[in-house]
Amino acid sequence: MNAPLSLAPPMPLFGLPGESPHERVIFGTDRSGLRSIIAIHNTSRGPAFGGCRMWKYKSDHAALTDALRLSQGMTFKNALANLPFGGGKAVLFAPAAPFDREAVFSAFGTLVESVDGKYITAEDVGTTTNDMHVVSLRTYHVSGLPRSGAFGGDPSPKTAWGVFLSIEQALRLHLKKSLSGATVAVQGLGSVGMALCEYLADRGAELVVADVDAARVADAVSRFSARAVPVGEILEVEADVLAPCALGAVLNAHSIPRIRSAIVAGAANNQLAQPEDGDALHARGVLYLPDFLVNAGGIISVAREHLCMGNEADVMREVALIADRVGELLERCQGRESPARVADAWAREKVSTTA
Ligand code: NAI
């Protein structure tokens, strides 16, 4: 008799290795070309809230891994930000050929609606406020809609503001420095990275930047007198702060030994390739501020928009509390423990408490 085929996937299908399983994972396809995964990690604090990312995934497995990791990050992010929401995230495969964007996002709206409010979506990398408008024609469970005058809309500037305040706080508490004259290396000049550069340049920081998009680099050089370096070098730049604002897993066994910044704090989700990479940064004396702590500005904005709570000033006040949490994290660590581990434990503690 032939030996049975081994069909074991390289990771559990319904959760991350070593973690409790996700509550629900929904796969959706449609003749519009939609191929999507909604991952609902945890709803202890409320419905799962997190954006939808459209990306050219190399495989179904890569998309599933991204959805599972991002949704767990949202559980932690929402809990630390004291939001009455659990963690979830959706990923959409960007079709290879030109496609009818409206039809795809309309089908995605129908998929979100089918989850009965257990998942609320918004924009993320590769999606826009216009896409969210299309989704909103199919479901109420969407935020980050185009706005004119009122608060809400594109969350990126709020995300950038929270990261900016975190950097300022870490410089002050950890290096006893102000932004004026400090060097910040920014990886990724998209919606968040460019807004962050603007806030930093306004306060006198010296910027070093890199992006795969040469036009964005040229823009940052001309607007902020930034120094451009090749994308392969940005993580190794000597700087006070390194701000990863592109994609995840950039802090890994290869990059960490090469980092020459005292602090790492940026917007990109899931910057650590593995939890142990937080320990490696700590061992090297690099202060790493976990992404799910510092990049909560955007979810704070879309959450208030969805709940119709308050106004722009309230959003800004709530985003400013991120800097207080950075201070609290440093106190909890006492310079001895790894901030990644401490923030992880802090978030898990909060997940099990009601909002
Ligand atoms: P975006 O798509 O507008 O910008 C990403 C930028 O990174 C682009 O300019 C892209 O060309 C660049 N890039 C891609 N690969 C690169 C590489 N290898 N080296 C250098 N640059 C590279 O995305 P956005 O909205 O600015 O988000 C950035 C990160 O922050 C993402 O990880 C996102 O999940 C995260 N985030 C964004 C939030 C938001 O409000 N937009 C909220 C929380 C997290």
Side-chain angles (χ1 to χ4, degrees), residues 53 77 124-125 155-156 159 187-192 210-212 216 231 245-246 267-269 295:
R53 169 173 293 190
K77 192 186 303 191
D124 188 55
V125 173
S156 308
T159 303
Q187 180 193 43
L189 298 166
S191 316
V192 179
D211 196 295
V212 288
R216 291 182 184 189
V231 288
C245 297
N269 284 311
N295 72 8

Side-chain angles (χ1 to χ4, degrees), residues 39-50:
I40 297 178
H41 176 247
N42 186 297
T43 57
S44 307
R45 294 177 63 91
F49 203 151

Side-chain angles (χ1 to χ4, degrees), residues 12-37:
L13 266 183
F14 297 104
L16 296 164
E19 300 283 350
S20 53
H22 280 53
E23 288 181 13
R24 287 176 81 178
V25 181
I26 298 118
F27 297 83
T29 59
D30 177 87
R31 63 181 160 200
S32 63
L34 174 78
R35 292 184 69 218
S36 174
I37 303 170

Side-chain angles (χ1 to χ4, degrees), residues 86-219:
K89 199 92 181 183
V91 300
L92 284 79
F93 289 75
F99 65 103
D100 181 345
R101 199 168 177 99
E102 201 167 321
V104 166
F105 279 93
S106 180
F108 177 63
T110 304
L111 184 67
V112 172
E113 179 63 15
S114 74
V115 194
D116 289 331
K118 281 274 184 200
Y119 168 66
I120 305 161
T121 199
E123 53 273 84
D124 188 55
V125 173
T127 59
T128 66
T129 50
N130 282 338
D131 298 329
M132 295 311 112
H133 168 69
V134 175
V135 172
S136 76
L137 302 178
R138 299 283 167 197
T139 182
Y140 169 71
H141 308 295
V142 54
S143 191
L145 301 170
R147 299 264 150 181
S148 56
F151 75 105
D154 177 9
S156 308
K158 304 299 186 301
T159 303
W161 185 241
V163 174
F164 165 77
L165 294 175
S166 301
I167 289 174
E168 194 179 42
Q169 179 79 308
L171 276 171
R172 191 173 68 77
L173 296 176
H174 186 63
L175 296 185
K176 316 282 175 239
K177 262 188 156 179
S178 76
L179 267 168
S180 174
T183 305
V184 184
V186 181
Q187 180 193 43
L189 298 166
S191 316
V192 179
M194 198 65 99
L196 175 64
C197 284
E198 192 165 349
Y199 298 138
L200 292 167
D202 265 4
R203 300 300 198 287
E206 286 168 22
L207 299 177
V208 186
V209 298
D211 196 295
V212 288
D213 184 333
R216 291 182 184 189
V217 173
D219 196 21

Side-chain angles (χ1 to χ4, degrees), residues 250-327:
V250 292
L251 304 174
N252 52 47
H254 176 77
S255 65
I256 289 170
R258 294 170 172 77
I259 287 174
R260 290 193 294 155
S261 302
I263 297 167
V264 177
N269 284 311
N270 296 334
Q271 288 167 40
L272 299 177
Q274 307 287 339
E276 299 71 34
D277 295 319
D279 303 332
L281 284 164
H282 184 59
R284 283 211 53 217
V286 177
L287 175 68
Y288 168 64
L289 297 182
D291 42 47
F292 57 80
L293 173 64
V294 305
N295 72 8
I299 192 73
I300 289 169
S301 174
V302 292
R304 274 192 175 265
E305 175 186 335
H306 190 65
L307 297 169
C308 302
M309 255 176 67
N311 53 34
E312 178 77 13
D314 294 320
V315 174
M316 294 307 275
R317 254 193 301 279
E318 207 174 328
V319 174
L321 295 178
I322 294 173
D324 295 351
R325 288 192 280 274
V326 168

